[in-house]
Amino acid sequence: MPVNYSISLPDPAKARGSDPRLSFTASGAETFAEQLQAALRTTELFDRWKAVQDEPDDVDPSLAAVDPQAVVTGQQADLRINLQAITSLPGDIFKHRLRLLAGTNWEMRDVR
């Protein structure tokens, strides 16, 4: 069953993960939404992350799960960006992808 995540990026310029090769490159709400949606729908971000691990063959294959039906929308709200993500991916995988993209510079506002 899909879950609706409400995410806030309080300072979009700081919404970057620790590895620039995996981080958001967006600056606007629509592009942040597109990049998160791609990370949920495809294995591209996972594949790039796995490739930089010390032991790529030891990575848990369940982390490669995708949701081709995931939908993410973004909205500018004053200086922050709010993202709504609807996905059937488990919460741990969703949060892992978001940490790769934004580091710790995001807030979970609501989960339904």
Side-chain angles (χ1 to χ4, degrees):
M1 176 198 276
V3 176
N4 186 334
Y5 295 94
S6 179
I7 306 297
S8 180
L9 306 175
D11 186 347
K14 291 183 179 176
R16 305 292 186 257
S18 59
D19 186 335
R21 298 170 293 182
L22 307 173
S23 295
F24 277 129
T25 59
S27 58
E30 186 175 303
T31 310
F32 276 107
E34 289 170 359
Q35 290 178 1
L36 178 55
Q37 182 172 285
L40 302 175
R41 286 185 173 187
T42 72
T43 62
E44 180 194 351
L45 178 63
F46 169 80
D47 292 339
R48 285 187 283 139
W49 171 77
K50 181 180 174 183
V52 298
Q53 300 307 299
D54 291 335
E55 297 292 336
D57 292 338
D58 292 342
V59 170
D60 181 352
S62 71
L63 292 174
V66 296
D67 175 8
Q69 304 303 315
V71 176
V72 182
T73 57
Q75 185 176 51
Q76 187 78 39
D78 200 17
L79 298 178
R80 75 178 45 238
I81 289 180
N82 295 320
L83 300 172
Q84 293 292 322
I86 301 171
T87 182
S88 60
L89 287 174
D92 290 346
I93 292 174
F94 177 79
K95 291 175 189 174
H96 178 252
R97 305 255 170 99
L98 199 49
R99 282 191 300 271
L100 293 175
L101 291 166
T104 59
N105 299 298
W106 57 278
E107 301 170 352
M108 182 80 69
R109 297 301 219 171
D110 191 23
V111 178
R112 290 181 264 132

